[in-house]
Amino acid sequence: INMSRSLFGAGFALAYLLVGLASPLAASLGNKKGERFTLAVGLFAIGVSCLLMVFFGSSSFGYIGAYGLVMGLGCALATVLPIQTLITRWFKLKRALATGLVLSAGGFAGIISSLSIKKMIDSFNGNWRIPWLFLAFLMGIIAIITILFTKNNPEDLGQNQDGTQKPNDDSSNITHNAQKKVFLTSENWVLKDAFKTKSLWLLLLAAVAQFGIFYLCVNHSMIHLLDIGVSDTTAALAPGILLLASTGSRLLSGVLGDRIEPRFIIGTGLLLSLGGCIILLNAVSTFAIYLFAILVGTGFGLVYVCLFTMLGNYFGVEKIRSFLGFMIPIVTFFGAVAPFLGGLVKDKTGSYEPVFIGAIILAAIGAMGILFAQPPVKKKI
């Protein structure tokens, strides 16, 4: 529809920022009405956004409003915060695996839907409105399923976490699994007390570092590779491989996160991203480009899953919404700002080298810091 690339980018950036910035709203709605209601409202908003795109998506204001605002708000209410709250409430011993399954499912769905939507458009002679109508219908179906089958708490089915049936089952009080060496708190922290622990801030630092590096590489790696003489065909593969590696490693992170202390997995993920950025600086061979993309994508997937797992493991279930509402906007903001700053530095200096050197330093700081994020202990009064 001959939309300018700057307008297209602005709508996407606005939607992405709203997913983070509206997370406190999702947390507040969850506190009042529960996750089932929050998810249903979010899915309804996404469906409305899809319908608005059908009728107004070809205009500048229509696109910004329908996709940038309504879609962004809907995704804030129907994605990470309420879903991760449900996972934390329902799972303890298999929390990392449950998180990995959900987050990897979203990644695989993105890959499948991209191909399916392209085929749908071709089948209807280039009519791009048809997929939006289909997605609106699909959101309605999923919203109905959510209302009928989602349970906010295991107690709604007479269960405890992990599906245990006995009201006072000992598994609900496990603080540490001796075999798997993974810390699981039996306490429920409030955010103001967690602010006084270094663990929360070191976890936030690691998350900011990884999200910033990932979205910097997604947005600028191809342009950097073209600048240093890589063919356009080879350079164009890098972001796709990076995203694919990220999706697969989320499931790997879920499997490992219940067996290995998540902070070690997060540190490993940051070191992989660090290595990938070093390779990217002078990646001229096809093998080096693929290796860069695999390392950074895998690093992000490892951190992404264990970030949420570690948050629940360290600070408990009861106030998890507040913790997610605090962390998600900050992480999202830096994920959105990093590509902008990277482009700004490139415009000022004529090179991406300072950008990726900065990313390497940030990854090193995050990796070292997370190793000192010991399980927090409440001070006795």
Side-chain angles (χ1 to χ4, degrees), residues 159-177:
Q159 298 180 6
N160 290 325
Q161 283 181 311
D162 305 312
T164 57
Q165 298 294 331
K166 296 178 182 179
N168 297 313
D169 193 295
D170 289 341
S171 65
S172 63
N173 296 316
I174 290 175
T175 58
H176 192 279
N177 187 311

Side-chain angles (χ1 to χ4, degrees), residues 344-368:
L344 190 63
V345 172
K346 171 62 168 64
D347 290 340
K348 294 293 183 181
T349 66
S351 172
Y352 275 113
E353 186 171 332
V355 176
F356 292 114
I357 289 176
I360 291 167
I361 294 172
L362 185 60
I365 294 172
M368 288 188 294

Side-chain angles (χ1 to χ4, degrees), residues 113-188:
S113 64
S114 296
L115 300 174
S116 302
I117 288 173
K118 175 65 168 62
K119 188 172 182 179
M120 189 181 297
I121 292 173
D122 292 341
S123 299
F124 286 90
N125 299 316
N127 189 339
W128 55 269
R129 292 179 171 86
I130 297 299
W132 287 114
L133 281 172
F134 171 76
L135 290 171
F137 173 77
L138 186 62
M139 291 305 105
I141 296 298
I142 299 174
I144 293 171
I145 292 173
T146 298
I147 293 170
L148 292 177
F149 297 106
T150 298
K151 304 297 181 182
N152 292 323
N153 303 286
E155 290 80 9
D156 296 341
L157 290 179
Q159 298 180 6
N160 290 325
Q161 283 181 311
D162 305 312
T164 57
Q165 298 294 331
K166 296 178 182 179
N168 297 313
D169 193 295
D170 289 341
S171 65
S172 63
N173 296 316
I174 290 175
T175 58
H176 192 279
N177 187 311
Q179 182 181 355
K180 298 180 180 178
K181 306 296 184 183
V182 176
F183 175 83
L184 298 169
T185 185
S186 59
E187 298 180 309
N188 285 299

Side-chain angles (χ1 to χ4, degrees), residues 34-37 39 79-92 95 98-99 102 146 150-154 156 161 317 320-321 324:
E35 274 62 49
R36 178 173 64 177
F37 181 83
L39 284 168
T79 55
V80 175
L81 191 144
I83 289 173
Q84 192 56 45
T85 299
L86 285 171
I87 290 173
T88 305
R89 287 185 176 278
W90 274 87
F91 296 92
K92 190 169 188 177
R95 182 176 290 153
T99 302
V102 171
T146 298
T150 298
K151 304 297 181 182
N152 292 323
N153 303 286
D156 296 341
Q161 283 181 311
V317 174
I320 190 64
R321 294 191 198 98
L324 292 170

